[in-house]
Amino acid sequence: MVDPIYIVAVLLGISFSLGFIGKKSENIAGILSLLALGFTTLVSAQWFYNFVTADIETYHIFTTAFKPPFSINLMMGKEEALFTMMINAIGLFGGLYMFDRLKAAGKNSFIALLMLIMGLNVVVMTRDLFNLFVFLEISSIAVAGLIVLTQNTKSISAGFKFMIATGIISGLLLLGIAFIYNYAGSLNIDHILTQNLEAAKGLSIAIFFLMIAIVLEMKPFPANGWGLDVYSSAESGVSSLLSSAYATATVFVLMKLLPFAPENLQFLIAAIGIITFVFSNLMGMRQDNPNRMLGYSSISQIGLLAAVIGISSVIGEYTYFIVISILISHFLAKSGLFWIAGIVKQESIKNWSVLRSNKLLLVLFGVFIFALTGLPPFPGFFGKWELVMHLAETKNFIWIFAVLIGSFFEVVYMFRWLGYAVKNDIIIETKLKAKIHQIIPLLLFAAAAFGAGYYVSSEHPYASLINYLPLAVALGFAFIEFLPVFIKNTLAIAAMAAYFYFNYESYNELQVIFAAIFIIGGILTLIAGYAYKGKRQGFYPFALMMFAGLIGLVEATTTLEFFFAWELMTIGSYFLILRGKKSIKHALSYILFSIGGAYLILAGFGLAAIGKPDISIGILSNIELYAPWIFGLLAIGFMTKTASIGLHIWLPGAHAEAEADVSPMVSAILLKAGVFGLIMLFLAMGEQFIGNISFAYILSWVGVITALMGNMMAAFQEDAKRLLAYSSIGALGYVLFGLSLMSHLGWLTAISFSVTHFMFKALLFLAIGGVVWRLKTKDMYKMGGLIKKMPFSFISVLIGIIVLAGVPPLTGFAGKWLFFQAVVEKQWFLQGAVLFFSGIIAFLYCFRLIHSIFLGQPKDEHRNVKEAPFWILVPQYAILMVIMLFSMLPNSLLKPIGDMLMPYFPDGAITWDGQMATTALGYWNGKTVMFIVVGVFAIVFGWLVFMNRNAKKVKQFNIGYAAERPFLPETTHYAFNFFAPYKKAIGFLVAPGITNFWHRVDEGAHSVSDKFTKIYNGNAQSYLIHIVAFILVIYLISFGGF
Amino acid sequence: MSKEHTEKRIVYSPEGDPIEVNPLQDYFCEDLPEVHKASSIAILENFRNWARSRSLWVLGFGTGCGAIEMRPLMTPKFDAYRYGIQWRPTPRQADVFVVSGYLSVKTLKRVIRTYEQMQGPKYVMALGSCTINGGMYWDSYNTINRLDYYLPVDVYVAGCMPRPEALLAGFDQLKKIIREGRGEGYNKYAEEFAWYKANQKKIIKDWDMPDYNW
Amino acid sequence: MKEIIDRLQELYPIGDFKQQNKSLALITVDKDKAVDFITRLKNEEGFLHLSIITAVDWLEKNKFQLSYLINNPTTKNSFVVRVMIDRENAEMFSIHHLWEQAATYQRELKEMFGIDFPGSPGVDKPFILEGWHEIPPYRRDFDTKNYSEETYFPREGRTKNVPAEYMKQKLYPDE
Amino acid sequence: MDPLIKQILFALLTIFIVLNYGLIVQGIVRKIGARVGRRYGIPFYQPYIDIIKNYSKRTRISHGIMYYIAPVFRLTGGIGLLLFIPVIFGNNMFQNFSFSGDLLLILYFQFFGVLGMALGAAESGHPNSAIGVSRGLSQVTAYELPLTLGVLSLAVQYNTLNVSEIVAAQQGGILNWSFFTNPLASIALLLAFLAAMGRSPFDVVLAPQEIPIGPPTEFHSGFLGVLQLNRAIFPIAKLILFMNLLFGGATNWGELIIKTFFIYMWSVFVGVAFPRFRVDQSVRWYLGVPLIIGVAAVVVSKFF
């Protein structure tokens, strides 16, 4: 193995030798520097590899013949190897990325780069305090040199502020070191640590200065204005060095020096860190400039790390794992994002739509955003999970709250940015061209993000259980994007079918039901994808990712697997929703609600794991502590997905704007993920109480109001898909109510209704999607009379609405019947009556849907429209056949579900006699009802045909029109504001109160963020005052001044 | 009404292809009426005629001043309900069209349209001298003289205006006609359709509807 | 009434003043000054209400007479302002800017007499008649009886009687 | 005889009796209305003549397939509803097909015909039809709420949703009728019944003078004939249901006719006395007093 001293030696040597190279030979200088950096990267990588695989001993380097504390010594351990590897890598690839920029600035810039990296390497490896100070100085001077690469007022003033600030910091550091030397009589870290620090009076002041200097290097809120100016004005490549290399080294220094600090100072550092994390992210929401936004993000991430390190005594041995996983995510993602920002060169994130001109960059951008926000499968995900778990374990609930709220703020602005990039309307003509030396680092870092994710999860005791196969298949589709839709669709269907075929036997009944909804339902909706032409890029990886998540939910045995799958599903569906038209706003609100919900789930799982030996799902069923809290957190988390009232505002837009086959995916299938979660929760935890009131009772009302409001709002929509989306909200209210009944019949209702809802909602969304496909509008009043043009779609919608409305003899009635029996049995009459009422309101929108689109007056523009594409009809008719089967033989659906529920709710089951269902209260025979209705219908129909056999077919305006004639179909088709009188009577119930509430929350957060951002006025003097005031305040706090 | 609605126009399909719309052809059924033979089974047809005569549903369409004489029919004093006569609001469900008084050309157009929208067998009862020979408007530039040139009239009730008693007598007469199987005015209309249409078109200059309004 | 006219006599060439009764007077004004005059009556003399605009066909004089009946709601006096216009290419200035409802009267006059009011809203749209292609029916040179006989299939055998004599004969044939 | 065939024959008999009863009662009600207005009025058999007349029409037009089968839906809804209700208590054969479902099936099956009819009316393309449907559906939602509460209250009282058992529980004297044992639920149900019958003041759906009889405005000839058959059967089926729920059912046809006739009179008298509500008025009205009575009924039967 190469001695690590050569890292320093080579870097120093090359940078000195660059001085001898002629003025014109920047190329040679550059290549030499890169070679040097490559060498150092390899050296540290080799050390790291050996540490990981061979578990070798820590290596010490002694610079002179004396042993420490009489000489300076360096150390190469596993941590050092990792950190130097990261620093060298960013030096190498950052240098490569900036190659032509540095070359243009002259060879001295290469020297600055090499000095920076060299300095940081030593900062990491050294065990000597003064040495640390010296090399930190060298690095910061090198950084200042790099900052002023861009010769404009902004960057020069930023460089000046940087020098001033680091000057103060160095002064403090030096002061601290001097005092320590005075009291401890040594500069060697290990040596000082062996002494009894407590004993030395006055040493605490010394350590305070030392630590505060390091903390200031991390740019804590609010004394970080100087850092932000650097991020926003320096070259992107330099910012990436600063954010990734410099900050990484600082984090390591903090870890190294932490043992110096007494317990209370450690907590103070942690508090500073978490405050920085929350507030920087809060202010990040207000940013429009990408570099400055990334600056806020960098500062916040480092703040989080400082917080984690600060409370390492609480977290214990896992600190290292958490820090490393979060840091690696940050390191890779932030450099990548800074580099992309350097290529895009847009001052406002709104203009990032230009990124669409380069697909590769767009994909990389997405990967980095996900890595940064801690979504799976990237390492940050596991870091955040472990962090929350350990904070919960030690009951630091406020910390959990702070971590999650800060992360949530970060998600807000990162995904807004991503949304703008993928979907914003601003069209900029320039085609982005990235040079090859800029692309290579990006690609390598993106790959490293995946690799690191896999590595980190393999280190984790439970993460290694996660089934990566579905995710791998989904990602695999990213590599066959060049294939036409037909092949990809077939492959996707085959993959899902094969997965189901090989696995379903290992599922229990509940899992089979939901796996069937997820996978068979998924296959059905995928069939509609054959209707698309071309390549349909960016659809299959995400669709399959969503299904991978759904499958993961069903299969999850640990809470970590469950959460992983939940996040995966969220990501996939986010992109599917983002594909729709005008989706940018809706997709953002979708991801925000989903991630907010996911964080609640995370917190819930964290609380659940307190005092438990493992994290299997089963721990939910024997919880002693905080049970109502856990139940509440998890229930609300799941209810964001089922879009219960209050949490529903993301749904209508998201589902309505999606594509023809995506709407059924997200509406008929995805929502069931929330149902599955709730079922799991109820099964595990049973009834929970707040005081005397049962949670189930509260949820029953939530479900009832959701159903009522969902249905009522659906009745007043003009947009067909929005109508169906609101109807989904209402239907999920039914399911929630059914579950909250906590009885056999209630659950039977809920689960069978979930299945039925999947069928009719998929049917309706596909049929309406087919109509919209042909008509290119979603407004119902612009349609009309399409029954003659689209008879097959009409039949689908007809059957769909009959099932939806629950009118016998079709299978929808089963749900209504069961539900009524369950209500009477449970004696929740008021809820039952309101729910029945909302079921009747469903008639309103059902009729409106079919009337406005298929009946009434055909429009002139639609004379030549064709029936919906064949492949969109195929799944509809497959579903239709199943509906007919279940209608004829209701026990083929209900009996297996009832049997499945027997172990959980043995009382009150239905007795079956053939197709005759009997409960304690009533009875129903689906088959005879069907026969009677069909029989009577046939006879009456025969009679009518006999009477009216020679009826004259007439055209659309042959109507008795008060002796006049209609003139235009548009003015004759009564469809707009169809339920005007109804709206007049009870429209006040559907005033957009909840939407307004969330808007106000949004505005409030942004205006708070605005207030705080104002303290950064760009003035060096005020930044100085911030720093001094900060030090003073911290001093007073730590020494009891307050 | 304004003319542009009856002229040809171009609309564009969702794909942007032009579609030519010819309102008269495209919105209205263009077929001509057919003659419907009475059933050859005499007893059946007699039974049906009895039912038709006992259930006369009148279209509530007052064309002229005579409409005011129709209202008292439903009051306790005359009570036409007892003869199975009642008013229907839509031509689709009505059997008898009572043309109550003078007809301007403009109204005639609506009357023809409405008459054609009724389902056969259907009957026309014309009130007052105006429908017989023009009455006091015999030399007006805008009022027709003889209704039977435009529609097949089954019963005329003379007078200016006829009182409700006369109307009842008219209904009685109509019943007799129907019972005897002579209430085939609508078949006559179909048989001599060309002649009726020519007469109608002679005075309705801007003919902006199909030849037969189904 | 007379006082008003006396006052305005100097400004407008007013001819043929005739006090029909206590509250109604007829006056004739030149076509060019008519709108000006009516405007003055409305704005300064309180004749705020336009009751009707109608026309008389003076076939023999080859003139149309337009009569504007305007009313002062406080004094309850009315003027009939008469304007004589040529029968050929009959045309008159519109007063719809004074009273909106004038446009309707003007539309009717255009249809029935063929008097044009350029600028009046919707004056060319058919008002009552649908598809009328003859000369305007209220002109005296339009022979309505002849038109009716040619167009509307008169019933043969229609006879005319003097009602009183006919009824006498019918009821009391012996006397 | 095969029991199934016997059952079908009895079902046909039920339909026949109810059809005739429905037509005659229609005529009688109109006759009573005439006599109240001091008119002589129609002959009581006038509804028969009207139906025969409509079937005797020689021409008919069709606006499309849904329009064509809408009357079939409507009549199937009426007949089906009748067949699912146990008509005569204690008579096995006149229980008809009530073994195939309980009260809930009946409540939901009502809508089968309504929705089918609404679809057909909509296909006629007439705006007045669509307006009528819009009004009708709005009104349905409103009166269903007190109706449901009343039914729930009865279900609690008798602890069953089986109509036959509800009737059985009311046997043994007038005072055992739900009308007396559960007056609040009865009031709620009878108020809902008014709109269910579609008579004034809740007849804005048809509104002959305003939207020429609303949904069926384009129906005529044979189509109208089928609708008229339904108009005879459907109200009687509803009457029988209310009789079963509130007035102890009937043990023979005579009792049935007397009871249903008086229940019918309730809606007739209200209709004669009150003018028509607008839709928003009737919706608001049903969400007021009847709703409160319904809630009270449920609360009372749950806790007392």
Side-chain angles (χ1 to χ4, degrees), chain A residues 596-616:
Chain A
Y599 284 164
L600 294 181
I601 294 171
L602 175 57
F605 282 157
L607 293 189
I610 295 176
K612 295 289 185 306
D614 59 8
I615 55 167
S616 76

Side-chain angles (χ1 to χ4, degrees), chain A residues 183-204:
Chain A
Y183 290 112
S186 168
L187 284 171
N188 187 288
I189 295 169
D190 305 301
H191 189 242
I192 297 168
L193 283 175
T194 56
Q195 302 184 355
N196 186 358
L197 294 173
E198 308 271 315
K201 211 170 165 229
L203 190 62
S204 59

Side-chain angles (χ1 to χ4, degrees), chain A residues 860 863 952 958 963-964, chain B residues 26-27 29 31 92 110 113:
Chain A
D860 298 333
R863 280 192 188 172
K952 176 89 198 157
N958 287 113
E964 267 300 336
Chain B
D26 298 351
Y27 292 145
C29 181
D31 298 346
R92 296 285 186 216
R110 273 77 187 166
R113 186 185 275 139

Side-chain angles (χ1 to χ4, degrees), chain A residues 699-1010:
Chain A
L699 289 186
S700 77
W701 274 109
V702 173
V704 162
I705 294 170
T706 308
L708 179 66
M709 296 319 258
N711 283 352
M712 204 173 270
M713 284 194 268
F716 298 134
Q717 300 303 316
E718 301 295 345
D719 175 332
K721 292 180 92 171
R722 246 187 132 76
L723 184 155
L724 290 177
Y726 272 113
S727 145
S728 287
I729 296 179
L732 269 289
Y734 258 86
V735 175
L736 181 59
F737 178 79
L739 291 178
S740 70
L741 284 170
M742 297 300 283
S743 67
H744 184 93
L745 285 175
W747 276 56
L748 184 55
T749 317
I751 296 177
S752 66
F753 190 75
S754 295
V755 177
T756 324
H757 176 254
F758 157 71
M759 292 191 297
F760 70 70
K761 199 45 67 73
L763 188 62
L764 287 172
F765 258 124
L766 282 169
I768 300 299
V771 171
V772 174
W773 178 296
R774 289 291 188 222
L775 263 53
K776 304 198 168 30
T777 176
K778 290 184 292 166
D779 292 330
M780 289 185 286
Y781 61 88
K782 291 179 184 161
M783 308 173 185
L786 291 172
I787 177 173
K788 295 192 175 72
K789 303 288 170 198
M790 304 185 160
F792 291 104
S793 300
F794 170 77
I795 292 170
S796 290
V797 173
L798 180 64
I799 301 293
I801 64 163
I802 293 177
V803 176
L804 196 166
V807 174
L810 293 191
T811 181
F813 175 68
K816 309 278 174 190
W817 184 78
L818 279 169
F819 148 76
F820 229 93
Q821 312 281 349
V823 165
V824 176
E825 185 196 59
K826 184 85 178 180
Q827 306 225 333
W828 280 356
F829 301 117
L830 293 184
Q831 292 99 313
V834 178
L835 216 55
F836 185 82
F837 179 55
S838 61
I840 302 290
I841 291 177
F843 288 8
L844 298 188
Y845 65 76
C846 281
F847 178 73
R848 184 175 189 175
L849 185 72
I850 197 160
H851 159 74
S852 306
I853 296 176
F854 291 102
L855 305 173
Q857 297 283 345
K859 302 289 162 63
D860 298 333
E861 304 88 275
H862 303 147
R863 280 192 188 172
N864 298 339
V865 296
K866 291 197 270 305
E867 175 60 87
F870 174 73
W871 286 109
I872 294 188
L873 290 174
V874 169
Q876 292 174 33
Y877 278 78
I879 294 171
L880 264 185
M881 279 190 278
V882 181
I883 286 179
M884 283 302 165
L885 174 77
F886 285 162
S887 305
M888 280 293 288
L889 310 169
N891 79 354
S892 58
L893 170 68
L894 298 179
K895 205 158 176 231
I897 299 177
D899 292 344
M900 181 207 91
L901 291 172
M902 282 313 276
Y904 310 113
F905 300 100
D907 300 332
I910 295 182
T911 11
W912 286 97
D913 175 20
Q915 298 298 333
M916 181 82 172
T918 314
T919 66
L921 289 159
Y923 55 94
W924 167 57
N925 190 335
K927 199 172 163 188
T928 50
V929 171
M930 190 69 152
F931 277 124
I932 291 167
V933 172
V934 171
V936 174
F937 191 92
I939 293 168
V940 176
F941 185 64
W943 164 245
L944 189 80
V945 169
F946 171 70
M947 293 305 306
N948 283 350
R949 57 196 173 283
N950 59 351
K952 176 89 198 157
K953 279 219 171 61
V954 296
K955 290 191 185 169
Q956 66 185 105
F957 277 176
N958 287 113
I959 52 179
Y961 204 65
E964 267 300 336
R965 51 164 284 189
F967 283 92
L968 286 172
E970 283 79 3
T971 49
T972 318
H973 188 47
Y974 180 72
F976 185 78
N977 200 3
F978 194 75
F979 292 110
Y982 203 60
K983 204 170 191 174
K984 192 176 167 193
I986 53 172
F988 65 90
L989 284 175
V990 291
I994 289 156
T995 313
N996 288 347
F997 168 76
W998 286 111
H999 278 309
R1000 253 173 259 139
V1001 169
D1002 177 41
E1003 274 166 29
H1006 275 95
S1007 66
V1008 169
S1009 151
D1010 221 14

Side-chain angles (χ1 to χ4, degrees), chain D residues 46-65:
Chain D
Q46 182 69 37
Y48 287 94
I49 306 179
D50 289 343
I51 287 183
I52 297 167
K53 192 278 305 283
N54 274 322
Y55 283 128
S56 314
K57 283 280 189 189
R58 292 195 196 129
T59 63
R60 64 276 294 169
I61 59 169
S62 165
H63 288 280
I65 179 71

Side-chain angles (χ1 to χ4, degrees), chain A residues 301 479 574 593 670 966 1012:
Chain A
Q301 290 283 350
F479 295 101
Y574 166 74
F593 272 92
L670 183 65
F1012 280 111

Side-chain angles (χ1 to χ4, degrees), chain C residues 48-92:
Chain C
L48 297 175
H49 176 69
L50 171 72
S51 301
I52 193 171
I53 309 175
T54 184
V56 182
D57 186 358
W58 296 102
L59 184 62
E60 296 76 4
K61 293 185 197 164
N62 207 15
K63 290 275 183 197
F64 279 128
Q65 173 199 318
L66 282 173
S67 304
Y68 297 84
L69 177 59
I70 51 177
N71 172 268
N72 183 336
T74 32
T75 62
K76 300 204 165 40
N77 290 332
S78 297
F79 272 121
V80 175
V81 181
R82 299 192 290 198
V83 183
M84 304 299 281
I85 56 175
D86 288 338
R87 215 162 165 281
E88 269 76 54
N89 300 325
E91 200 178 284
M92 179 60 195

